[in-house]
Amino acid sequence: MRLLKVATCNLNQWAMDFDCNVKHIKESIEEAKRAGAVIRLGPELEITGYGCEDHFLELDTVNHAWECLKDILLGHWTDGILCSFGMPVIKDSERYNCQVLCYNRKIIMIRPKMWLANDGNYRELRWFTAWKLKDKLVDFQLPRDISEALSQTSVPFGYGYIQFLDTAVAAEVCEELFTPIPPHAELALNGVEVFMNASGSHHQLRKLDVRLRAFIGATHTRGGVYMYSNHQGCDGGRLYYDGCSCVVVNGDLVAQGSQFSLKDVEVVVAHVDLDAVASLRGSISSFQEQASYKTKVPSVAASYSLCQSFNLKISLSSPLEINYHCAEEEIAFGPGCWLWDYLRRSGASGFLLPLSGGADSSSVAAIVGCMCQLVVKEIANGDEQVKADAVRIGHYAEGELPTDSREFARRIFYTVFMGSENSSEATRTRAKVLADEVGSWHLDVSIDGIVSALLSLFQTLTGKRPRYKVDGGSNIENLGLQNIQARIRMVLAFMLASLLPWVHSKPGFYLVLGSSNVDEGLRGYLTKYDCSSADINPIGSISKQDLRAFLRWAATHLRYSSLADIEAAPPTAELEPIRSNYSQLDEVDMGMTYEELSVYGRLRKIYRCGPVSMFKNLCYRWGAKLSPSEVAEKVKHFFKYYSINRHKMTVLTPSYHAESYSPEDNRFDLRQFLYNSRWPYQFGKIDELVKELNGDSVGVRRESSGMGVVAAGSGNPNVGL
């Protein structure tokens, strides 16, 4: 038997905070060595942090990474343990995303990434060059100060593996695993038994299974030990890296780290038998045949042994059942951990949330409550960093600690119900009850006086006073009156966030939390610069359907029972007067259901459908209940309002990324924001298809809408709420 103990880790790194990152790296190595591991794998670009973005273009970033690596190698950290460190490296004139493999205070080789992530949230080709030379390793001249410090002039650079005396080890970096012909296939045929995948993979609802199945598939038919390391936490942007570092052997998961955690460092250790890898490969005839005429991959010889022989005192890691969170748990824990990282690193003293008593703001309140529960739990488990952060943010006296989540929430979480004459007593009561369950410092304020003052000013200026539609006003008046209320709430929220800490003799400021969901963003069913305009938004990329399921779950599992009533209530903005024969409802205002919006969103983004392709797809999906003409009207209605309101996405509050059909304009969904909302060519094609399907020479009526371009602060009927 060849017994090998390996360690991989989740690290909560912070882009451009080199002291923080090196501290976590050293802690992970120490923990791996204490466990007896001889291989330690860290996440992609762990020294700089993955999310540095255009900072990668600065020479300082690369130079600081080398300085940090030198600091690690001059110490005892790599004595007796193979460590893979992620950092940017400049060779000649090109910048590469690299894994630097080190052992016994020396660099053994540098492995540049060959296939870069360049879709969705990823822009690696903007900062890095893909390594293209596969048939040989080249010499890399180390920077002078590194060379002098390590007594090394040059090291092998390129695609290859390390041949130890008793096994072969290779790196495969993140995206490379998911390519049509991944490197591990060729490396396995060359005798590599241990694969190290350093990754920077973000959380997305229901995505984890795709990732884990890739690790399992990589070794199921080829054999091997597959190590995976990932970042975990918010490193300074919209993404939450969701950890789940793991070890897979011959298709079986034998070690798995947490997906969501407040810990800065989590090390996952596995004890494996490499003879099991050799045995599996020897039993597969096709593997043997392909290995006999393989393409030779270059290697670096390392005259060290990593394995131990048979020893009954050593227990091997056994296959585990994969641990998955349900979507409701993902919504609770992912945004909750992201909020904690943002709070403790921003210098803020807490959060302020406009709490309307509706589903969206109540979801945000529940997520903050979940965050507080996680903090108290980690303190009870002995996490010193969480304790130090919580004591600092909560302004506890010396010797005091957070022991109750509601008490902690009252110190760091303000909620405010900003009611008007259009608000119902039901929503006011729901907001107050939920605030009490979570523990927030709750305020109830009326904005009617401010609204009246503004309308009086408008009347003085123009001689006219707008009326609601139910009172005989026009659509323009109706929308304007709703927008006034919404924007007043934004201004009031930011004023309270900046001044309430002062009122209560606390230092700092509060972060304003937004609460618009992904479907409202897609449709544009929000007022530009209203309460959706905040500092950050933990639910901005989560669908209404998922949020309602989360509320049902949280009512029981987070023990906020009032959420059940909130979920059951019909969604309403409460911006129009309530009458005996009229009550404002979101889905009526939008002209579509939230369920339909999710369908439109997925077809538009995930399946890359324009109006015509969406019409064709929905004819199949909805054909049993809707005629082609009805499907056409729905598709046109969606694209009309989507395009009219696309400009709102340019100022969307930075939101936690959780959904693959997010319309977020700054990083993920890059499109124009000035459209011809009549879509004359595309809608004409839909009309032609409807005529063919119906056999009707008349066709269907095109919507007459004009250009539909909306300037900031104005809009068409039912747009901009």
Side-chain angles (χ1 to χ4, degrees), residues 54-71:
D54 281 2
H55 285 296
F56 284 125
L57 303 179
E58 301 165 4
L59 288 178
D60 277 1
T61 304
V62 180
N63 292 336
H64 295 335
W66 278 114
E67 291 161 1
C68 293
L69 181 65
K70 181 177 73 171
D71 173 58

Side-chain angles (χ1 to χ4, degrees), residues 423-678:
S423 302
S424 67
E425 190 58 37
T427 53
R428 173 180 277 104
T429 301
R430 292 182 196 122
K432 185 178 185 305
V433 172
L434 177 59
D436 183 64
E437 289 177 340
V438 172
S440 67
W441 188 293
H442 187 64
L443 302 172
D444 189 327
V445 60
S446 172
I447 64 170
D448 287 333
I450 310 173
V451 173
S452 178
L454 283 173
L455 291 177
S456 296
L457 174 61
F458 181 83
Q459 187 172 13
T460 300
L461 291 171
T462 66
K464 292 188 176 183
R465 192 177 185 93
R467 295 177 298 166
Y468 289 102
K469 192 173 182 179
V470 294
D471 295 327
S474 65
N475 285 327
I476 293 176
E477 294 171 77
N478 196 61
L479 183 62
L481 287 170
Q482 294 180 69
N483 285 343
I484 290 170
Q485 299 168 67
R487 291 187 174 120
I488 284 171
R489 286 171 173 144
M490 181 204 71
V491 174
L492 182 58
F494 276 98
M495 184 183 76
L496 292 172
S498 63
L499 292 177
L500 279 177
W502 166 72
V503 170
H504 292 123
S505 301
K506 294 180 180 180
F509 60 96
Y510 277 63
L511 294 164
V512 178
L513 297 179
S515 58
S516 59
N517 62 60
V518 69
D519 297 323
E520 290 171 347
L522 180 67
R523 165 61 170 73
Y525 187 68
L526 52 93
T527 301
K528 202 172 186 179
Y529 307 118
D530 70 342
C531 281
S532 66
S533 297
D535 289 308
I536 51 175
N537 181 355
I539 67 165
S541 185
I542 303 175
S543 73
K544 190 76 164 189
Q545 288 179 294
D546 280 337
L547 287 174
R548 295 187 70 169
F550 164 71
L551 290 173
R552 294 191 294 270
W553 175 88
T556 301
H557 293 84
L558 296 182
R559 300 183 300 279
Y560 303 145
S561 58
S562 65
L563 294 176
D565 291 336
I566 291 170
E567 188 278 328
T572 173
E574 289 197 337
L575 292 170
E576 296 182 65
I578 299 171
R579 297 287 188 266
S580 59
N581 61 346
Y582 178 76
S583 180
Q584 185 180 22
L585 297 173
D586 288 358
E587 293 183 336
V588 175
D589 273 355
M590 293 190 297
M592 59 191 76
T593 66
Y594 281 108
E595 182 179 0
E596 289 172 342
L597 262 175
S598 288
V599 173
Y600 299 145
R602 288 184 168 86
L603 287 173
R604 181 198 69 97
K605 179 65 177 178
I606 302 174
Y607 298 100
R608 298 164 294 281
C609 288
V612 177
S613 296
M614 185 180 292
F615 168 74
K616 292 177 180 178
N617 275 276
L618 290 178
C619 280
Y620 284 111
R621 183 176 298 202
W622 293 344
K625 59 180 181 179
L626 297 175
S627 69
S629 299
E630 292 171 321
V631 173
E633 290 299 314
K634 284 182 175 291
V635 170
K636 290 179 180 181
H637 186 71
F638 165 71
F639 272 100
K640 171 186 173 181
Y641 285 104
Y642 157 74
S643 56
I644 285 173
N645 289 298
R646 179 67 194 189
H647 66 97
K648 297 177 183 178
M649 296 303 96
T650 64
V651 296
L652 197 68
T653 295
S655 301
Y656 179 99
H657 179 87
E659 184 57 77
S660 54
Y661 71 89
S662 169
E664 188 267 308
D665 181 75
N666 293 285
R667 296 289 189 278
F668 184 68
D669 188 46
L670 307 182
R671 302 171 194 244
Q672 72 207 66
F673 54 88
L674 177 61
Y675 282 88
N676 182 344
S677 62
R678 292 179 293 115

